[in-house]
Amino acid sequence: MKTISVEILRTWLEEGRSVTVLDVRPADQRAEWTIPGSVHIDAYRALNEHDPHALDAVDVVDDVPVVTVCAAGRTSQLAAGQLTARGVPALSLEGGMKAWSLAWNTAEVPLEDRSVRVIQVRRTGKGCLSYLIGAGEEAFVIDASLDPHLYLDLARSRGWQITSVFDTHIHADHLSRSRQLAERSGARLFLPDQQRVSFAFTAMRNGDTLATERLMLTAVRTPGHTPESTCYLLNNALLFTGDTLFPTSIGRPDLHANAQEARARSLLLYHSLHKLLALPSETLVLPGHASQPVPFDDKPIGARLSEIDEQIGLLHATQTVFVETLLKRLPPTPPNYERIITLNEAGLVPEGDVTELEAGANRCAIS
Ligand SMILES: [Fe+2]
């Protein structure tokens, strides 16, 4: 049976190669998260019952390879087998959507100041967004969510040395790779000031600034999503908001919190969001997550504060309405979030396969 790795499929999609990605999972799994641009046939049951007509309804384009996808890479082998028997060049995605959790792509944020470059590094499946910010020979990384070697390679290929690594908050939906990246690169690790983590870091308090020749990063404390949540303002123009503010939604206040704490955090979030809205309206917000799988389209995810202000009605609600509405709209909690928080507080990324632990789509936002 022919298979294809996540890394090769990722590269094909990034290069824009012709490929049909055929998702054969049940519809409810498909609804959870997908590979951007994939087509779907709910053939899971038929394939496992060895129905020879399971994929009869699939239209294939001559000579365009088909990559079959399921949850873990087993049923997709049956699908690839059936297509191959029809003379279609078919490959099964190794490890399925579970392995796809680590697939990534990049998009560069267009900036007027050409001496500064900002690369959005996206975990396409989970929607985690991290940032590589380079100028001269130095680079900063914010919210690393992928293997450190990837950021090191991206920086090296642009002639940058990673000197500072930041997290916006203690994450609940994915393992932070910032501590590991700082160790591997020799960079300093900056975290919002808090007593949650049990490893060494440099604390960023409200207004703290880190400046190099061309980069000036200032911490803007914005508690709410978590008590320590902090946004970073770059060169007074770009705002890295973590999970506090997204282009069309706001951060949830309830993870790792009881009902009373969630209410208190909602109120903090109200004030934090209004603190951000007081920044110049042309400030470009670059969030920590996407709500949908991230396409391979080179288009950075972000929006001007003025656009967000127009887009999110809740930002104009009174304090009371804001809190009550937020608490009513809480989405289901992400899988394994308590365990992920514990590992992030310890600064640990377990050896081996962590995709099971990080499984599923992102659920950090309320829209
Ligand atoms: Fe978060």
Side-chain angles (χ1 to χ4, degrees):
M1 175 52 56
K2 285 189 180 165
T3 61
I4 183 171
S5 68
V6 162
E7 185 51 31
I8 292 175
L9 178 59
R10 186 205 79 73
T11 309
W12 283 11
L13 294 174
E14 192 160 68
E15 290 170 350
R17 270 177 70 158
S18 280
V19 57
T20 301
V21 178
L22 178 66
D23 186 342
V24 299
R25 292 174 299 158
D28 60 330
Q29 290 183 24
R30 167 92 180 167
E32 182 76 4
W33 62 333
T34 61
I35 296 180
S38 58
V39 293
H40 179 234
I41 178 167
D42 189 341
Y44 185 81
R45 197 159 157 190
L47 285 163
N48 282 293
E49 287 170 354
H50 300 284
D51 175 353
H53 303 292
L55 301 180
D56 279 3
V58 174
D59 267 338
V60 287
V61 183
D62 273 351
D63 297 331
V64 172
V66 176
V67 172
T68 59
V69 182
C70 67
R74 274 196 300 273
T75 306
S76 58
Q77 291 189 29
L78 301 173
Q82 285 203 5
L83 292 172
T84 304
R86 269 163 65 180
V88 176
L91 304 160
S92 167
L93 181 66
E94 291 163 17
M97 289 304 285
K98 197 160 86 90
W100 185 254
S101 163
L102 290 170
W104 57 278
N105 62 44
T106 60
E108 183 154 357
V109 180
L111 299 177
E112 263 172 44
D113 178 359
R114 306 299 284 276
S115 68
V116 176
R117 293 177 66 191
V118 174
I119 318 288
Q120 190 176 59
V121 183
R122 301 102 71 93
R123 266 179 82 169
T124 160
K126 280 197 72 65
C128 306
L129 308 178
S130 48
Y131 296 90
L132 176 65
I133 303 160
E137 293 175 355
E138 278 194 61
F140 296 173
V141 173
I142 297 178
D143 283 339
S145 63
L146 285 152
D147 195 283
H149 83 80
L150 199 144
Y151 300 95
L152 291 165
D153 289 351
L154 288 171
R156 200 176 299 125
S157 67
R158 289 163 175 81
W160 301 331
Q161 164 96 32
I162 297 172
T163 56
S164 302
V165 171
F166 303 81
D167 267 352
T168 53
H169 64 292
I170 313 302
H171 294 280
D173 68 305
H174 68 268
L175 297 165
S176 169
R177 272 70 166 186
S178 292
R179 185 184 180 207
Q180 284 68 24
L181 176 59
E183 276 169 9
R184 287 274 299 277
S185 60
R188 274 173 83 186
L189 174 64
F190 296 88
L191 300 182
D193 188 30
Q194 36 70 40
Q195 268 94 50
R196 293 179 62 184
V197 306
S198 55
F199 52 89
F201 65 96
T202 303
M204 288 295 265
R205 299 179 184 85
N206 188 50
D208 281 356
T209 292
L210 186 80
T212 68
E213 203 183 323
R214 295 195 185 94
L215 303 175
M216 189 175 75
L217 200 76
T218 304
V220 183
R221 186 90 171 179
T222 48
H225 171 64
T226 64
E228 76 288 344
S229 279
T230 295
C231 300
Y232 297 109
L233 184 62
L234 179 71
N235 295 355
N236 289 315
L238 305 180
L239 185 67
F240 301 91
T241 51
D243 291 350
T244 295
L245 181 61
F246 306 96
T248 58
S249 57
I250 54 189
R252 65 187 300 163
D254 62 309
L255 293 179
H256 208 50
N258 62 31
Q260 202 183 352
E261 288 164 338
R263 180 168 288 275
R265 278 203 220 159
S266 302
L267 190 55
L268 287 169
L269 186 57
Y270 175 86
H271 292 294
S272 293
L273 291 169
H274 284 271
K275 182 174 173 181
L276 295 182
L277 289 170
L279 291 168
S281 63
E282 65 274 17
T283 305
L284 182 63
V285 168
L286 294 165
H289 281 110
S291 51
Q292 297 290 327
V294 184
F296 288 67
D297 60 1
D298 291 329
K299 288 190 191 139
I301 292 164
R304 305 266 166 212
L305 264 181
S306 53
E307 297 168 310
I308 297 176
D309 193 28
E310 259 175 48
Q311 186 75 31
I312 307 177
L314 205 49
L315 293 174
H316 304 281
T318 62
Q319 190 175 291
T320 313
V321 171
F322 177 91
V323 170
E324 296 309 325
T325 310
L326 210 60
L327 294 174
K328 251 186 257 159
R329 287 191 194 162
L330 298 175
T333 52
N336 308 321
Y337 76 94
E338 291 285 7
R339 169 107 178 101
I340 290 175
I341 289 172
T342 302
L343 286 164
N344 282 336
E345 286 177 344
L348 297 175
V349 177
E351 291 286 314
D353 187 3
V354 296
T355 52
E356 192 79 60
L357 189 64
E358 293 188 316
N362 173 256
R363 294 202 191 113
C364 267
I366 299 176
S367 47

